Amino acid sequence: MPSILRRSRRREFLLTPSFTNAIQDKVSPTQRFRLEIPCSSIIVDRTQLHGPSPSPLTPKSPDFSKPSSRPSLTFSLYRSPISNPQHHPIHTLPPEILILIFQLGSFDDALFLITVSHVCHPWRMLAIHTHTLWRRLSFDAHGLRLWKERIARARGCSLDVTIAPLQHCLPDLDAIALHMHSLVPHIARMRSFELRFSRYLPFLWNTALGPVCHQHRRDDSVNRHTFAPLVHALQLEELTLCYPDNDDTKEFALFAGVAPRLKKVTLDGIRLTWLPELYGRLTYLNYTHHGFTAGRTAADEVLGMIQVSCATLRELRICFRRREQGGEVLYLPHVDIPAGEIHLLQLERLVLGIDKSEIDICPELASLISRLSMPNLRELHLVDLGFQRANRRHWKPLRFSGLRAALSLFQVAIPSTTKVLTMAGRWADPSSIPVFAKHFRELDSLEVDGVEQDLESVIFGSTESTPYYSVFR
């Protein structure tokens, strides 16, 4: 008896068009199309060779009339392991938009990335594999264990470090020291570093800045001490150090003098060793004087800092704050201050601030301005830190007693080609505003107490103003 598995009766597998369409509908219901199969790959039944040969499947040309949509995120690399999931329309968003949403959400909530990574498998895979989302380290919301996890997920990306305890809480010295020492091996990866303390605590600056200052190690081969390269901030671009209540008078030399990319510095209440190798390439300097020195010594100290950074400085913000103390701190200049003017050829924006505790314009500020040459200055902002725009209608401040002399000095030191002038609080003297408007011949914008003024009305004596808030505040 012949076997049923005889070769003459064996049927070959036939991939029919209906079977192809059924498989395609099962895989991707939203994109139904026929597979293109070449004629040479069609398999026929060998038992029906005597019959009419089946017609080959004609390749179908693509239809360009319908716009092709972007593949769903679920069908991309981050595919869910769950079979037949119920896909939400949000999964059709491109990964770039989701990454941007995650990044914006992480600015307001430090734990936002942890939350979205537990929503679904595609979001978790997208958040974990986007290393730039984990670069922000915040002390007020992240514990040490979470810091280490974020550093590990950031992989080789640069880091943005912020240590700013809450205002209503005293800083925890032990926690700050532990976080700073855990950060030392990653200092070379820091892109920005911010330290802000609003409440006083003894030895706070020593605890926070000690790990990032000079670290000595003994080299037995040459029998001398060298600096450890761990504290070199090779990728640092922005530095912010603010502690108004600081009582530590010593100078701090940060990062062993190595930060080749540093461009922006904000300082308040701290003394730093102003090294040319560290601060010689600054484009932005926001400096509030610590108050340990006063008078000519304070002015010379700030002039020495500006002299180091004068070649590339584009924006300069200066404010002097006085401090009650038993005696003046000894200041030894690190650079030779020229007897004449310091030329700031690249400076375009100058902001002069007066602390709310001051009752008059600081003589250090007037002395500083008289020593600066700013031929390309475009914006001058005179700021009163005690002025609040929300209370502008009820603001009735007393004018500075030395305002006339200071404004006369500004007319000589500030170039007449300035295009933007802002005056707020005790700087806004109604009798001096027309004089300023006439002095700056190319003035395009004049703002007084947060309100844009009509230049023609000011020059010809009218006091009317338009309620337009300038973008330069």
Side-chain angles (χ1 to χ4, degrees):
M1 181 177 178
S3 173
I4 60 174
L5 299 179
R6 291 177 57 185
R7 185 177 181 84
S8 60
R9 295 188 179 184
R10 189 181 303 166
R11 295 175 62 89
E12 300 290 346
F13 178 74
L14 180 62
L15 188 62
T16 60
S18 60
F19 184 77
T20 304
N21 294 337
I23 294 178
Q24 187 60 41
D25 291 340
K26 197 70 174 177
V27 174
S28 179
T30 58
Q31 298 180 0
R32 181 176 179 177
F33 58 91
R34 293 174 179 267
L35 293 177
E36 298 182 0
I37 304 177
C39 297
S40 59
S41 63
I42 296 181
I43 304 175
V44 298
D45 188 1
R46 296 195 178 193
T47 61
Q48 298 180 0
L49 291 177
H50 59 277
S53 60
S55 59
L57 183 62
T58 305
K60 185 177 180 180
S61 60
D63 186 11
F64 297 100
S65 61
K66 298 181 180 180
S68 59
S69 60
R70 185 183 180 91
S72 172
L73 179 61
T74 307
F75 292 104
S76 64
L77 176 62
Y78 314 110
R79 182 175 298 177
S80 175
I82 305 175
S83 59
N84 298 327
Q86 297 295 330
H87 302 304
H88 193 275
I90 198 172
H91 291 304
T92 61
L93 287 176
E96 295 82 3
I97 296 181
L98 282 177
I99 291 174
L100 182 59
I101 294 175
F102 294 168
Q103 185 176 6
L104 295 176
S106 63
F107 291 154
D108 298 331
D109 186 2
L111 300 178
F112 180 79
L113 294 178
I114 305 298
T115 303
V116 298
S117 63
H118 287 76
V119 172
C120 60
H121 181 78
W123 283 20
R124 177 174 178 81
M125 298 303 295
L126 183 63
I128 291 178
H129 289 82
T130 307
H131 308 306
T132 55
L133 294 176
W134 304 94
R135 70 192 334 163
R136 297 182 66 248
L137 305 178
S138 178
F139 172 79
D140 54 357
H142 302 162
L144 183 59
R145 183 178 178 182
L146 191 55
W147 261 40
K148 294 180 179 179
E149 182 65 25
R150 293 178 72 97
I151 292 175
R153 291 187 179 185
R155 299 291 178 90
C157 297
S158 56
L159 302 176
D160 297 328
V161 182
T162 301
I163 298 180
L166 299 177
Q167 296 184 0
H168 61 274
C169 299
L170 283 175
D172 188 351
L173 283 181
D174 295 334
I176 293 174
L178 195 58
H179 281 75
M180 290 302 302
H181 282 286
S182 65
L183 189 65
V184 168
H186 309 283
I187 287 180
R189 295 173 51 189
M190 287 196 310
R191 185 180 64 171
S192 65
F193 182 49
E194 180 178 356
L195 280 175
R196 289 184 182 274
F197 301 115
S198 57
R199 301 191 64 177
Y200 171 75
L201 195 66
F203 310 108
L204 187 55
W205 257 164
N206 270 338
T207 304
L209 296 181
V212 299
C213 292
H214 284 184
Q215 290 188 359
H216 297 272
R217 64 179 181 181
R218 185 176 181 82
D219 191 351
D220 296 332
S221 60
V222 295
N223 194 20
R224 65 178 182 181
H225 292 274
T226 57
F227 296 120
L230 289 178
V231 297
H232 293 175
L234 301 178
Q235 300 187 35
L236 187 66
E237 300 177 3
E238 185 173 354
L239 175 65
T240 301
L241 303 175
C242 295
Y243 184 25
D245 297 331
N246 174 41
D247 60 350
D248 196 342
T249 61
K250 66 174 175 292
E251 293 185 353
F252 292 87
L254 304 179
F255 311 118
V258 179
R261 298 186 180 181
L262 187 59
K263 300 295 182 181
K264 300 180 64 176
V265 172
T266 300
L267 301 177
D268 185 358
I270 183 175
R271 297 184 68 189
L272 296 180
T273 303
W274 208 257
L275 302 175
E277 300 83 4
L278 194 59
Y279 307 104
R281 292 170 291 271
L282 295 183
T283 59
Y284 173 91
L285 176 60
N286 185 355
Y287 180 74
T288 300
H289 191 56
H290 44 70
F292 298 129
T293 57
R296 184 175 179 180
T297 306
D300 290 342
E301 184 177 355
V302 179
L303 283 173
M305 299 169 57
I306 296 177
Q307 172 67 19
V308 171
S309 310
C310 64
T312 57
L313 205 57
R314 293 183 177 273
E315 181 172 350
L316 177 62
R317 295 170 175 258
I318 295 294
C319 178
F320 285 89
R321 181 186 294 119
R322 297 186 183 276
R323 186 187 300 269
E324 296 181 2
Q325 56 185 2
E328 187 173 342
V329 178
L330 177 64
Y331 167 69
L332 298 176
H334 299 278
V335 295
D336 295 332
I337 303 175
E341 294 182 339
I342 297 178
H343 299 279
L344 299 173
L345 302 180
Q346 303 292 331
L347 191 67
E348 299 178 355
R349 182 184 176 106
L350 177 63
V351 181
L352 303 178
I354 297 295
D355 191 68
K356 58 184 179 181
S357 60
E358 297 290 339
I359 60 176
D360 202 355
I361 299 177
C362 302
E364 298 89 349
L365 191 62
S367 177
L368 179 69
I369 296 301
S370 63
R371 299 282 300 278
L372 299 180
S373 174
M374 303 163 286
N376 298 317
L377 189 67
R378 294 293 177 265
E379 301 180 22
L380 174 62
H381 301 267
L382 306 177
V383 180
D384 186 357
L385 299 182
F387 171 74
Q388 297 180 1
R389 184 183 299 180
N391 301 329
R392 177 175 53 86
R393 294 182 178 180
H394 308 285
W395 178 266
K396 300 295 183 182
L398 297 176
R399 305 303 175 187
F400 294 125
S401 58
L403 182 61
R404 291 291 183 90
L407 296 182
S408 301
L409 175 62
F410 292 164
Q411 294 181 14
V412 177
I414 306 300
S416 59
T417 57
T418 302
K419 297 183 178 296
V420 177
L421 175 61
T422 298
M423 308 174 70
R426 291 169 290 178
W427 286 103
D429 184 10
S431 61
S432 302
I433 293 176
V435 179
F436 261 89
K438 294 178 181 179
H439 171 70
F440 298 115
R441 302 187 304 270
E442 301 181 8
L443 197 63
D444 295 334
S445 175
L446 174 61
E447 180 183 312
V448 179
D449 288 342
V451 179
E452 184 75 11
Q453 303 291 322
D454 185 5
L455 293 177
E456 295 183 359
S457 301
V458 171
I459 294 176
F460 292 104
S462 176
T463 59
E464 296 180 357
S465 61
T466 58
Y468 170 78
Y469 291 91
S470 175
V471 298
F472 298 101
R473 289 289 295 168

